[in-house]
Amino acid sequence: MATTPPCAAPSPSLRCPLALSHPFASPPPPPPALRLAGPKLLPGRLAVSPPPGIPAVASALESLILDLDDDEEDEDEETESGLFQGEAWAAADEREAVRSPELVVPELEELPEQWRRSRIAWLCKELPAYKHSTFTRILNAQRKWITQDDATYVAVHCLRIRNNDAAFRVYSWMVRQHWFRFNFALATRVADCLGRDGKVEKCQEVFEAMVKQGRVPAESTFHILIVAYLSVPKGRCLEEACTIYNQMIQMGGYKPRLSLHNSLFRALVSKTGGTAKYNLKQAEFVYHNVVTTNLDVHKDVYAGLIWLHSYQDVIDRERIIALRKEMKQAGFDEGIDVLVSVMRAFSKEGNVAETEATWHNILQSGSDLPVQAYVCRMEAYARTGEPMKSLDMFKEMKDKNMPPNVASYHKIIEIMTKAREVDIVEQLMNEFIESDMKHLMPAFLDLMYMYMDLDMHEKLELTFLKCIARCRPNRILYTIYLESLVKVGNIEKAEEVFGEMHNNGMIGTNTKSCNIMLRGYLSAEDYQKAEKVYDMMSKKKYVVQADSLEKLQSGLLLNKKVIKPKTVSMKLDQEQREILIGLLLGGTRMESYAQRGVHIVHFQFQEDSNAHSVLRVHIHERFFEWLSSASRSFDDGSKIPYQFSTIPHQHFSFFADQFFLKGQPVLPKLIHRWLTSRVLAYWFMFGGSKLPSGDIVLKLRGGNSQGVERIVNSLHTQSLTSKVKRKGRFFWIGFQGSNAESFWRIIEPHVLNNFASLVTQEGSSIGSDGTQDTDTDSDDDMQMSDTERDE
């Protein structure tokens, strides 16, 4: 019989002393419960050999799966990092800051029946050692006699020995029983322990169950869940943390501790300025709560708010002045970071006087001069129509032996291209390229826009070729080049470029590029090809420019053909269906709409993943006609949101019925028939990873071992042998050596160009949704091959 791990010291907050009748040092004789439940059936169920130990990590594939939460810190150089990185002014872990309500459980020896005490003691000893399936079978076998108090005692015992996963399983089993009555104290204790253990999804599940019962979760549960979300690597669960924080105040009426305010605020300002600026409203809410509860406002909270305001598109000058005044009244001096933020805000308004006055304050402080301050001065003079003074600022910076960074090169090249200073721009661009810095694309785009405005199309083409040789091409780059070709009348070359855009999933087409190509065909009076482009635009629901539509109608009338607005029937094509299946396997969510039988698809991509950033643009273009108006973006690819949704439609109901049961992800019974090469490719791109060693892993959320076995068998029919491991609620299907090579040959025709290099660089950072699976239960590991499958 399997034995439990050594018991940890009991928590003082769990007031339930365990006075078990037998010691656990040696296996006790079978308790009476075994004989009462049936001499043959129950012992057979319980006589399960202990689960095999987890094998030692023997390959890069197993290393990846067993160490899901390792962060890769080698990232590309950012133009400007987030604020207050690495500072300790906000507590990193506040899980123990707020105590949970007391949970009082009767002592085991208080139970009148000896046989009940023996059974409960036996369950407490044996249950924690088993996996999901055996765990549930053992509990099911006790249904004839076990009560809610008995099961509560077992769950609390698991919490005492720090086996929170076993406690959660017992609690989940209790909820499904007919005799279950909601126990707020027990639910609170289970949620708090799960949150302290970093198992955010399970903690969130218990949290939502409390809310559904009409109960407001305890302050400790709110606090612990927020800290658990903030502890997820790379801030992937910041939005969830903010949601729980807002509920804590608005629904619970609680007043969070100062350390929690500061921890959340720090997370809000820890990203780069371009990303963090969207967190201003939440940051102001945190600041408001700190002030209204008469807590001390930290100096960096003032600095962080000013920093966020300086990155807004529309500067709130009065708010910045008020924050500076409050900061001074609190007795805090304005540091260099605050002064640079003030300079950034004033420079966006073109206020040279205030920018220079702040600059002199920096000089008088005696601190090292930051490069960003020079960038702000360049911006201020450029907005007042003095670009040459901006150039003088750039030269002054170099004269003081301050090497320009990426941000300074981007800014001066942007200013000079708008001033049409061709020679100066070309010289600066050559310097930038020779510096071997990264992020050349924005400078190349500014240069090409300038050549376009000056009708210097030959130089534009040369710049385009230089750019694609050094940078990863994107839709904006190709669209500029396409427009240049149409302007000079090179329709044949434009058609070739447009075809490349359409066929290359990494680039794709959009409303602007289609309208440009339509104008090109109309200018060449090729109305047959123009009509094909128009049909494609109608299918994708792109807006056709009025003058182009009028020319097309006039041209077709000459050929005795009338163009009529076409009613496009909404129907998923074969490619879209296969893409959707691949994304659903990787973890894409669906939900039912208000109308019965109508569903919505929610696409969500990781902001910190270059691979997901590329895939996001491709999926947005491929499902454009299905997206809601709020999710559509007619601008450049960089403006496409990382989360967008489709319209509610009955065509998605089939997929919802197959992949979800009562809101939980499951595997379709016929999934083994749907694993085409395109399905596997999009599953890999959305929820997979390719290691530097060549091994490939696919992440699968939902389903059970039987469903995974059907997938493994289907892959085996394609001569692909795989290994499977289960970590928490995820399955990982891995291919090693020659199997990985064979798998890659199958999916390669459908994988976006250069996508493999992005996935390889990021390793395990690509997930199936916006979060990492922190519910990694060590006792759920499972290996499966085509000949060996453990339930």
Side-chain angles (χ1 to χ4, degrees):
M1 193 70 71
T3 58
T4 59
C7 294
S11 169
S13 58
L14 282 176
R15 303 186 60 175
C16 47
L18 290 177
L20 301 180
S21 55
H22 344 272
F24 284 175
S26 60
L34 300 179
R35 293 191 295 271
L36 290 175
K40 295 182 180 180
L41 177 61
L42 187 54
R45 285 187 171 184
L46 293 179
V48 181
S49 60
I54 301 173
V57 178
S59 67
L61 168 65
E62 293 173 344
S63 175
L64 168 67
I65 298 175
L66 291 176
D67 197 11
L68 298 178
D69 291 333
D70 284 353
D71 294 332
E72 294 187 2
E73 301 298 337
D74 299 331
E75 300 179 352
D76 290 342
E77 178 186 358
E78 295 286 349
T79 57
E80 185 174 352
S81 61
L83 202 60
F84 319 131
Q85 293 283 2
E87 298 184 17
W89 61 276
D93 193 345
E94 293 289 339
R95 290 185 176 93
E96 303 294 340
V98 181
R99 294 176 62 86
S100 307
E102 287 187 339
L103 173 62
V104 179
V105 178
E107 295 183 10
L108 190 62
E109 56 198 17
E110 295 177 0
L111 297 177
E113 304 99 331
Q114 172 62 31
W115 65 268
R116 185 178 297 274
R117 293 200 300 269
S118 300
R119 291 182 181 187
I120 295 174
W122 184 83
L123 287 175
C124 289
K125 176 184 176 182
E126 299 299 336
L127 275 180
Y130 291 108
K131 293 183 180 180
H132 279 294
S133 55
T134 306
F135 196 101
T136 303
R137 286 203 301 267
I138 293 175
L139 286 174
N140 287 341
Q142 318 305 316
R143 284 176 174 170
K144 292 183 179 180
W145 64 269
I146 199 168
T147 65
Q148 177 156 339
D149 290 340
D150 301 334
T152 299
Y153 187 90
V154 176
V156 172
H157 169 75
C158 294
L159 295 176
R160 284 193 67 191
I161 64 174
R162 304 295 191 267
N163 196 329
N164 299 323
D165 297 312
F168 176 75
R169 292 175 200 157
V170 174
Y171 179 79
S172 299
W173 181 85
M174 291 171 58
V175 171
R176 298 191 296 269
Q177 305 313 306
H178 66 88
W179 40 253
F180 177 75
R181 296 296 181 268
F182 180 73
N183 186 331
F184 178 73
L186 176 62
T188 299
R189 180 63 63 187
V190 172
D192 291 358
C193 291
L194 291 170
R196 290 190 182 98
D197 207 15
K199 303 188 181 299
V200 292
E201 292 188 352
K202 294 176 181 177
C203 179
Q204 179 72 37
E205 182 177 333
V206 180
F207 177 91
E208 292 175 353
M210 285 189 263
V211 175
K212 288 181 180 178
Q213 291 289 333
R215 302 295 298 270
V216 177
E219 182 180 1
S220 62
T221 307
F222 280 107
H223 187 111
I224 292 169
L225 184 54
I226 292 170
V227 175
Y229 275 130
L230 293 177
S231 301
V232 174
K234 298 185 179 180
R236 291 190 178 98
C237 293
L238 178 59
E239 183 178 348
E240 289 83 355
C242 292
T243 300
I244 301 299
Y245 173 85
N246 295 342
Q247 291 178 345
M248 182 179 187
I249 295 170
Q250 297 168 351
M251 179 176 70
Y254 298 118
K255 296 180 180 179
R257 296 165 63 100
L258 178 60
S259 59
L260 185 63
H261 292 298
N262 286 344
S263 295
L264 180 59
F265 189 90
R266 181 183 181 180
L268 292 169
V269 298
S270 291
K271 296 186 178 182
T272 57
T275 304
K277 70 178 183 180
Y278 301 108
N279 297 334
L280 176 62
K281 186 176 180 181
Q282 182 67 45
E284 286 280 10
F285 183 62
V286 174
Y287 172 78
H288 169 77
N289 291 323
V290 172
V291 173
T292 54
T293 52
N294 297 319
L295 297 174
D296 294 333
V297 182
H298 196 280
K299 173 184 177 180
D300 288 335
V301 173
Y302 290 114
L305 279 176
I306 296 173
W307 181 75
L308 288 173
H309 274 284
S310 71
Y311 273 101
Q312 301 305 305
D313 297 329
V314 179
I315 301 298
D316 190 345
R317 182 185 179 89
E318 289 73 18
R319 180 59 179 156
I320 293 178
I321 294 174
L323 286 171
R324 295 180 71 186
K325 182 179 179 181
E326 292 174 18
M327 186 176 183
K328 191 171 296 185
Q329 290 175 348
F332 297 126
D333 295 330
E334 294 180 334
I336 296 298
D337 50 357
V338 175
L339 295 176
V340 171
S341 298
V342 173
M343 285 188 68
R344 185 184 301 110
F346 287 142
S347 65
K348 284 186 176 182
E349 294 181 329
N351 192 330
V352 175
E354 292 287 357
T355 303
E356 288 293 341
T358 309
W359 166 255
H360 287 302
N361 291 338
I362 294 178
L363 292 176
Q364 292 173 2
S365 68
S367 303
D368 294 335
L369 298 177
V371 175
Q372 188 62 32
Y374 279 100
V375 175
C376 295
R377 295 178 73 196
M378 292 183 223
E379 173 80 9
Y381 282 109
R383 287 185 178 269
T384 58
E386 299 180 87
M388 299 313 294
K389 281 193 175 182
S390 298
L391 183 61
D392 292 339
M393 299 295 105
F394 183 78
K395 292 179 179 178
E396 178 186 330
M397 181 176 60
K398 293 198 294 184
D399 292 341
K400 292 186 177 182
N401 295 324
M402 297 178 61
N405 60 8
V406 173
S408 59
Y409 269 116
H410 283 174
K411 180 55 64 178
I412 193 60
I413 290 174
E414 176 190 348
I415 292 171
M416 291 295 105
T417 53
K418 290 181 179 179
R420 305 293 185 264
E421 296 289 345
V422 178
D423 294 336
I424 296 175
V425 172
E426 291 176 346
Q427 180 182 352
L428 290 170
M429 193 67 202
N430 290 333
E431 288 180 14
F432 192 17
I433 294 173
E434 293 172 0
S435 68
D436 292 329
M437 294 183 186
K438 299 181 181 180
H439 305 292
L440 296 172
M441 180 63 77
F444 273 121
L445 295 180
D446 288 334
L447 190 58
M448 291 177 67
Y449 278 126
M450 182 188 70
Y451 287 145
M452 174 77 73
D453 294 337
L454 297 175
D455 291 330
M456 303 173 69
H457 298 284
E458 291 183 2
K459 287 193 173 184
L460 187 148
E461 185 172 12
L462 292 174
T463 304
F464 171 79
L465 297 175
K466 285 183 182 179
C467 184
I468 59 175
R470 290 173 173 82
C471 308
R472 187 175 74 241
N474 60 24
R475 186 184 299 167
I476 306 173
L477 180 72
Y478 270 81
T479 301
I480 298 172
Y481 183 46
L482 177 67
E483 188 172 5
S484 172
L485 293 173
V486 170
K487 274 191 173 184
V488 298
N490 191 348
I491 305 303
E492 183 177 350
K493 181 66 174 177
E495 183 178 6
E496 179 183 337
V497 172
F498 184 77
E500 183 179 353
M501 294 174 65
H502 185 70
N503 296 326
N504 190 339
M506 291 276 283
I507 302 171
T509 56
N510 60 0
T511 303
K512 184 175 181 179
S513 58
C514 289
N515 273 300
I516 291 172
M517 196 66 247
L518 180 59
R519 289 201 308 269
Y521 284 136
L522 292 175
S523 64
E525 297 183 353
D526 191 340
Y527 298 108
Q528 184 176 1
K529 291 182 178 179
E531 187 178 9
K532 290 182 179 180
V533 175
Y534 172 78
D535 291 341
M536 183 184 74
M537 295 179 69
S538 299
K539 180 182 177 181
K540 301 296 291 184
K541 293 188 177 182
Y542 291 152
V543 177
V544 182
Q545 294 178 349
D547 57 339
S548 296
L549 182 59
E550 185 178 346
K551 288 181 182 179
L552 179 61
Q553 290 174 335
S554 301
L556 292 177
L557 283 174
L558 295 177
N559 297 328
K560 298 182 180 180
K561 188 174 181 180
V562 179
I563 182 171
K564 298 180 180 179
K566 297 184 178 181
T567 303
V568 181
S569 60
M570 296 291 290
K571 185 177 181 181
L572 289 166
D573 58 36
Q574 180 64 26
E575 181 180 348
Q576 288 174 326
R577 288 196 293 270
E578 292 183 356
I579 291 174
L580 188 55
I581 292 173
L583 297 181
L584 288 169
L585 287 172
T588 293
R589 296 182 299 108
M590 299 182 71
E591 70 177 30
S592 177
Y593 194 60
Q595 302 176 11
R596 194 172 185 179
V598 179
H599 290 81
I600 298 173
V601 182
H602 295 288
F603 299 105
Q604 183 175 355
F605 302 90
Q606 294 180 16
E607 295 185 30
D608 59 352
S609 167
N610 290 329
H612 268 214
S613 179
V614 171
L615 184 62
R616 158 191 63 113
V617 177
H618 171 66
I619 296 299
H620 189 276
E621 182 266 335
R622 195 63 191 84
F623 286 86
F624 187 88
E625 68 271 27
W626 293 95
L627 301 182
S628 62
S629 57
S631 299
R632 294 192 181 195
S633 174
F634 300 93
D635 298 328
D636 299 327
S638 59
K639 305 295 184 181
I640 296 175
Y642 279 84
Q643 299 182 36
F644 48 87
S645 305
T646 66
I647 57 175
H649 204 281
Q650 60 184 3
H651 280 314
F652 299 124
S653 299
F654 169 78
F655 298 95
D657 295 339
Q658 295 294 320
F659 283 90
F660 294 90
L661 178 63
K662 297 181 180 180
Q664 297 300 318
V666 296
L667 287 177
K669 293 183 178 179
L670 298 179
I671 186 60
H672 56 286
R673 299 184 181 180
W674 301 345
L675 297 179
T676 64
S677 57
R678 180 178 281 113
V679 169
L680 294 175
Y682 280 87
W683 183 9
F684 164 76
M685 288 189 288
F686 186 65
S689 172
K690 186 175 184 180
L691 304 182
S693 62
D695 296 343
I696 293 175
V697 291
L698 301 176
K699 192 175 184 180
L700 175 65
R701 181 170 188 173
N704 51 30
S705 56
Q706 288 77 21
V708 177
E709 187 173 359
R710 287 195 293 270
I711 293 179
V712 172
N713 288 333
S714 177
L715 294 172
H716 186 64
T717 61
Q718 303 180 48
S719 301
L720 294 173
T721 303
S722 60
K723 286 187 176 182
V724 178
K725 284 184 179 289
R726 180 174 184 172
K727 298 291 291 182
R729 302 184 179 190
F730 289 88
F731 290 93
W732 289 81
I733 302 178
F735 305 89
Q736 295 177 281
S738 59
N739 292 300
E741 295 174 0
S742 300
F743 180 82
W744 180 252
R745 284 194 295 269
I746 291 174
I747 67 172
E748 188 174 13
H750 304 290
V751 174
L752 303 181
N753 294 344
N754 302 321
F755 192 90
S757 61
L758 298 175
V759 179
T760 303
Q761 291 171 7
E762 295 173 359
S764 62
S765 64
I766 295 180
S768 62
D769 51 17
T771 66
Q772 285 282 347
D773 176 32
T774 57
D775 299 339
T776 53
D777 307 339
S778 59
D779 59 348
D780 293 338
D781 292 338
M782 177 180 67
Q783 280 191 303
M784 292 173 56
S785 64
D786 56 315
T787 59
E788 178 180 327
R789 298 181 180 89
D790 298 329
E791 185 178 23

